[in-house]
């Protein structure tokens, strides 16, 4: 389960095997080395700042390294949804942000001499009942000044009810991009520290104290580029809807691979592009199977359904690899990039890209850096002040009601579950009760793993994800390995070991 981008991209070598010592004080500490964190760090280094990037795992370890990597202004049904939820002015600002994000990235690729793989983007409807959704998207594109049109030929080997298209969008190799950004940060005297999970940020006089397992770092400013903001200030986690999807790559005869970047507007959710394989061959990449993290049920079956679809609809050959990732949508609203509530203008964050972060992450970085350095971007101001609207509030209420229902049901199930170690087959996991406490037991690589089933973020009961062999929290999407290490999400501490759960272990 290694993303194709990690297999075919350059090795990013920024830190030796042991965590590197941290300097005493920085102008800005950026937390997270995905696309948001590294673009922000590059921009701040170019402005002459002393910058450190603190990354819990490794560069590109989470969503950016597992994306489908389309740098596109045609974004499924996003433009019409933005228009419906926050209106035309906000839509125009959103389009401007994405246009700037796309243009910045293309300029960087040109400057670095990296290939610019231009493709037509296509959004298609499977069913006639979704043709009106395509019409709405086309109209929203027109309002936003994006030159989409009806597609005469989708380039797909199966029939669709209809499709719209936009010429000349770009598909990225995200690890190549991250490698180039990381290299520039280092060349300009910035620092990137991997395996440095940040646990908190406190104010201390005129400085911020950024707390990590390996010590405290001082900075004037901090940017949380962690996907979902890790600090609970602003209660962002309660205003975001996480969605996790699978991505698969298949061999197939090159002349039969659709050349465009396709996405469906209705079920089944599918996203297609091409990519280079490890032997230089062209592969077809298929995304789909979106589900709320921690509520995906039988994820092994979901993955098998993707395989079956690719074989039946595209005539794809054997699957070469697969991976999965999650991203966050703000309830019926726009991505956020700006100061975190309660951070006194010194802690910034960016989130809510809704699976369109290749453009939105760059735009968010531009917005944050411009704010930090006293600049002004009109589209960023408009986006920051665009309210969620009635639909957004209703959505937030619905999602939080679902979260509350999960708390009640999952804890009741945990209390009523059987006691003692379960008799589990390889790759299975179950919640069992030991005394009063719920324990997450799984068997991975023949080894029985037992950890607390209580999420260290806010106490949800984790669920087993059989495809990825991880414990995923259904409340706000923290994920943990079978042995309890934090993988992603708002949690900053590992699941407690059951034999010593007096306190959660350090992440
Ligand atoms: C399946 C899928 C397909 C997608 N396809 C596309 C696409 O085709 N086009 C597109 O535009 N967008 C796409 N996206 C969206 C896009 O990939 C993301 O929006 C983008 O990569 C997010 O970047 P990021 O830097 O914000 O987050 P990440 O890449 O997740 O980076 C966050 C980093 O923060 C680190 N971190 C977290 N917590 C801490 C902590 N406490 N201390 C230190 N570090 C921490 C993490 O380890 C991680 O490396 C897709 C998303 C998904 C899920
Ligand atoms: S992620 Fe919030 S309780 Fe688990």
């Amino acid at each position: 389960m290694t993303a194709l981008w990690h297999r075919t991209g350059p090795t990013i070598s920024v830190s030796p095997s042991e965590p590197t010592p941290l300097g005493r004080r920085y102008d800005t500490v950026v937390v997270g080395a995905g696309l948001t964190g590294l673009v922000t760090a590059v921009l701040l280094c170019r402005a002459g700042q002393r910058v450190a990037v603190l990354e819990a795992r490794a560069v590109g370890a989470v969503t950016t390294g597992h994306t489908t990597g389309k740098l596109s202004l045609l974004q499924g049904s996003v433009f019409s949804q933005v228009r419906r939820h926050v209106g035309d002015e906000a839509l125009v600002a959103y389009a401007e942000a994405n246009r700037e994000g796309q243009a910045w990235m293309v300029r960087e690729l040109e400057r670095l001499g990296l290939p610019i793989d231009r493709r037509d983007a296509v959004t298609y409807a499977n069913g006639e009942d979704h043709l009106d959704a395509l019409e709405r998207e086309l109209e929203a594109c027109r309002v936003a000044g994006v030159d989409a049109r009806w597609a005469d030929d989708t380039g797909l080997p199966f029939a669709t009810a209809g499709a719209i298209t936009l010429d000349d969008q770009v598909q990225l190799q995200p690890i190549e991009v991250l490698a180039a950004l990381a290299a520039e940060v280092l060349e300009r005297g910035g620092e990137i520290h991997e395996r440095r999970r940040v646990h908190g940020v406190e104010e201390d006089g005129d400085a911020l104290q950024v707390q990590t397992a390996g010590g405290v770092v001082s900075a004037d400013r901090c940017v949380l580029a962690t996907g979902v903001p890790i600090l609970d200030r602003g209660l962002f986690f309660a205003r975001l809807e996480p969605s996790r999807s699978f991505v698969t790559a298949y061999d197939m005869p090159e002349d039969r691979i659709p050349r465009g970047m396709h996405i469906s507007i209705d079920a089944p959710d599918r996203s297609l592009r091409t990519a280079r394989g490890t032997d230089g061959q062209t592969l077809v990449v298929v995304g789909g199977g979106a589900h709320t993290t921690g509520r995906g049920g039988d994820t092994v079956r979901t993955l098998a359904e993707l395989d079956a679809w690719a074989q039946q609809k595209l005539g794809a050959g054997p699957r070469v690899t697969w991976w999965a990732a999650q991203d966050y949508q703000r309830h019926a609203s726009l991505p956020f990039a700006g100061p975190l509530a309660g951070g006194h203008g010194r802690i910034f964050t960016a989130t809510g890209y809704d699976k369109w972060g290749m453009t939105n992450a760059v735009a968010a970085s531009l917005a944050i850096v411009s704010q930090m350095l006293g600049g002004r971007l009109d589209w960023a101001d408009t986006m920051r002040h665009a309210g969620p609207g009635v639909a957004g509030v209703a959505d937030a209420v619905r999602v939080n009601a679902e979260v509350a229902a999960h708390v009640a049901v999952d804890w009741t199930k945990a209390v009523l579950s059987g006691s003692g170690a379960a008799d589990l087959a390889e790759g299975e996991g179950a919640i069992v009760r030991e005394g009063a406490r719920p324990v997450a037991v799984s068997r991975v690589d023949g080894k029985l793993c037992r950890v607390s089933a209580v999420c260290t973020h806010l106490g949800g009961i984790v669920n087993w994800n059989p495809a990825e062999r991880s414990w995923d929290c259904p409340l706000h999407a923290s994920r943990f390995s079978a042995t309890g290490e934090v993988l992603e999400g708002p949690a900053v501490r590992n699941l407690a070991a059951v034999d010593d759960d007096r306190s959660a272990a350090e992440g």
Side-chain angles (χ1 to χ4, degrees), residues 31-37 54-58 60-72 196-199 225-227 230 243 245-247 271 325-327 350 353-359 361 487 489 491-492:
V31 186
L35 190 58
T36 311
L54 305 185
E55 164 56 48
R57 296 172 64 187
V62 183
T63 309
T64 307
H66 296 81
T67 178
T68 39
K70 300 174 182 175
L71 185 74
S72 176
R196 287 279 187 182
R197 188 170 294 280
V198 169
H199 293 161
T226 48
I230 51 160
S243 173
S245 297
F246 290 105
V247 189
S271 174
Q326 67 197 36
D327 207 7
Y353 307 149
D354 194 15
K355 296 188 181 162
W356 292 103
M358 296 299 102
T359 45
L487 297 173
V492 293

Side-chain angles (χ1 to χ4, degrees), residues 177-211:
V177 173
L178 292 184
L181 293 169
E184 181 172 349
V185 171
L186 299 179
E187 272 160 31
R188 289 182 181 272
E191 298 172 21
I192 302 175
H193 301 268
E194 297 180 310
R195 296 173 295 285
R196 287 279 187 182
R197 188 170 294 280
V198 169
H199 293 161
V201 182
E202 297 297 333
E203 286 181 70
D204 180 14
D206 66 344
L208 294 172
Q209 303 292 339
V210 182
Q211 291 146 1

Side-chain angles (χ1 to χ4, degrees), residues 65-293:
H66 296 81
T67 178
T68 39
K70 300 174 182 175
L71 185 74
S72 176
L73 294 180
L74 192 69
Q75 303 183 345
S77 59
V78 167
F79 278 42
S80 46
Q81 283 172 28
V82 166
R83 186 174 189 217
R84 182 159 72 92
H85 295 310
V86 282
D88 284 1
E89 191 190 355
L91 169 64
V92 170
Y94 177 82
E96 193 54 30
N98 279 263
R99 211 177 274 117
E100 287 230 11
Q102 187 188 52
W104 188 93
M105 182 61 78
V106 169
R107 277 197 305 275
E108 287 302 302
L109 297 176
E110 278 166 357
R111 193 180 61 78
L112 293 160
L114 290 173
I116 301 176
D117 192 353
R118 291 190 189 275
R119 303 286 164 135
D120 295 346
V122 179
T123 300
Y124 68 88
N126 291 294
E128 302 276 336
D129 53 341
H130 277 76
L131 282 176
D132 55 345
L134 283 181
E135 256 163 44
R136 283 196 296 275
E137 191 62 18
L138 203 52
E139 179 57 15
C141 285
R142 192 193 58 72
V143 170
V146 170
D147 209 9
R149 57 186 158 75
W150 286 104
D152 302 326
D153 176 11
T154 61
L156 289 168
F158 56 87
T160 66
I164 59 176
T165 185
L166 181 65
D167 299 342
D168 264 353
Q169 304 304 290
V170 174
Q171 52 185 22
L172 300 173
Q173 205 304 8
I175 291 298
E176 245 170 30
V177 173
L178 292 184
L181 293 169
E184 181 172 349
V185 171
L186 299 179
E187 272 160 31
R188 289 182 181 272
E191 298 172 21
I192 302 175
H193 301 268
E194 297 180 310
R195 296 173 295 285
R196 287 279 187 182
R197 188 170 294 280
V198 169
H199 293 161
V201 182
E202 297 297 333
E203 286 181 70
D204 180 14
D206 66 344
L208 294 172
Q209 303 292 339
V210 182
Q211 291 146 1
T212 76
V216 174
V217 186
S218 295
D220 295 342
R221 299 251 161 76
C222 176
V223 179
L224 300 176
T226 48
V228 56
I230 51 160
L231 302 182
D232 288 344
R233 293 174 211 186
L235 299 181
F236 255 110
F237 61 85
R239 294 193 266 143
L240 293 169
E241 211 168 339
S243 173
R244 196 161 183 85
S245 297
F246 290 105
V247 189
T248 45
Y250 306 91
D251 265 323
M252 74 182 271
E254 190 152 350
D255 57 341
R256 288 185 17 223
I257 298 183
R259 269 197 51 80
M261 302 190 299
H262 296 80
I263 193 160
S264 61
I265 205 164
D266 53 351
D269 62 308
R270 298 290 181 257
S271 174
L272 306 182
R273 62 165 285 183
T274 65
R276 189 173 45 82
T278 44
D279 300 330
Q281 79 280 34
T282 305
L283 303 174
V284 62
V285 172
V286 180
H291 56 276
T292 304
T293 307

Side-chain angles (χ1 to χ4, degrees), residues 420-421 432 434 437 439-442 448-452 482-483 496-499:
V432 301
E434 289 190 5
R437 73 189 168 178
V439 175
V441 189
S442 61
L448 198 67
C449 309
R450 296 163 70 243
V451 287
S452 164
T483 47
V498 284
D499 296 325

